[in-house]
Amino acid sequence: MICAICRRDARGFGFEPRLIGVPAPAVKLCSRTCQNITTRLKGMINPNIHERSALLDASAAGGTYVESLGRTDLATWTPEEWATLIDVVITRFQDSLRTAYAEDPPF
Ligand SMILES: [Zn+2]
């Protein structure tokens, strides 16, 4: 399971929106920090402005990586090239979120 907020490993934290009368699915979380964010959002986990921005950043980083390979035929990629793409995208997404929340803490 991954944390619904930061996408790191969930570590025994969670949030059950139905307990406060919000009809949303339960989520797994990694920490009290992400639990507090979820509680503040009343369980809603639709992407917020920082997450949407992080997705755009991650998309741009992935595109840059693909361009660096010089091959857009995905069937020709090695397992290492695929793994690097995933690493580039996830790392940029997480870094973008950390930067955004450092400048605009959600609590
Ligand atoms: Zn988290």
Side-chain angles (χ1 to χ4, degrees):
M1 298 297 288
I2 60 171
C3 176
I5 296 295
C6 71
R7 312 298 194 235
R8 301 177 87 186
D9 286 339
R11 296 184 183 171
F13 294 87
F15 183 73
E16 177 56 68
R18 283 175 279 211
L19 294 177
I20 60 169
V22 175
V27 294
K28 301 293 184 194
L29 303 159
C30 73
S31 62
R32 291 284 299 167
T33 300
C34 288
Q35 193 175 41
N36 288 340
I37 293 167
T38 305
T39 302
R40 192 178 125 259
L41 298 173
K42 296 187 177 2
M44 300 304 293
I45 56 171
N46 291 335
N48 63 25
I49 188 169
H50 298 314
E51 292 165 332
R52 287 191 298 273
S53 178
L55 287 170
L56 290 175
D57 285 349
S59 294
T64 299
Y65 172 71
V66 171
E67 288 177 4
S68 77
L69 291 178
R71 291 177 285 117
T72 57
D73 181 356
L74 307 182
T76 67
W77 287 19
T78 67
E80 291 77 23
E81 288 168 335
W82 272 107
T84 300
L85 174 65
I86 301 304
D87 183 44
V88 164
V89 169
I90 290 173
T91 299
R92 180 63 64 89
F93 180 81
Q94 292 175 331
D95 288 350
S96 181
L97 270 186
R98 286 188 189 103
T99 299
Y101 285 129
E103 296 170 0
D104 180 26
F107 41 83

